[in-house]
Amino acid sequence: MDAPAGLVESAFFKLLGCRLQSLGDGVAQVALSLEPPLRNRGGKLHGGALFSLVDIAMGLACSSVHGFDQQSATIECKINYIRAVADGEVLCTARVIHPGRRTLVVEAEVMQGDKLVAKAQGTFAVL
């Protein structure tokens, strides 16, 4: 999907070090490498960075459905933490599973290679 970089790569997206892998048809894939600023006190991927990655991927998946000319806002997002990440890279794949006119329901998985890191569900409102 062709979308202006300014609408895909926000300042926060860049600050985290996210990289868009693919986007279109209600699916977004965003990668994130575990860099020192993203670590918690235990040296693992900080939960806030993981949540941000999921929220970014979900928002992009929503925009690929309703268009980048409209905005959406997170109403609710629940993440089930499965596994801590100590190094390497994670990939979040977000899919719109219900593309309603006013709300969208999205699911996401965060993977590190073939290992599940987290699963998430979210609801977004079209503004």
Side-chain angles (χ1 to χ4, degrees):
M1 163 176 265
D2 293 327
L7 298 178
V8 173
E9 299 177 352
S10 69
F12 190 62
F13 177 102
K14 293 175 185 176
L15 180 68
L16 285 175
C18 292
R19 294 180 320 283
L20 182 64
Q21 301 298 300
S22 65
L23 177 63
D25 297 326
V27 179
Q29 289 190 312
V30 180
L32 181 65
S33 296
L34 181 54
E35 299 295 335
L38 301 179
R39 295 179 185 275
N40 63 19
R41 292 180 304 168
K44 308 291 191 241
L45 179 62
H46 191 284
L50 181 62
F51 180 86
S52 295
L53 171 65
V54 167
D55 192 52
I56 287 168
M58 286 181 166
L60 289 170
C62 289
S63 292
S64 76
V65 169
H66 62 61
F68 282 87
D69 58 330
Q70 293 185 337
Q71 295 181 352
S72 57
T74 308
I75 296 174
E76 176 269 336
C77 186
K78 177 184 176 191
I79 298 179
N80 299 314
Y81 293 94
I82 305 295
R83 188 176 68 82
V85 177
D87 58 15
E89 180 176 281
V90 294
L91 178 68
C92 181
T93 302
R95 287 181 176 77
V96 174
I97 60 171
H98 174 71
R101 283 191 351 220
R102 302 299 298 156
T103 60
L104 300 101
V105 179
V106 187
E107 288 184 343
E109 286 187 344
V110 180
M111 303 289 292
Q112 185 178 39
D114 61 351
K115 296 178 181 158
L116 182 64
V117 173
K119 288 186 76 112
Q121 305 84 35
T123 306
F124 287 73
V126 179
L127 305 178

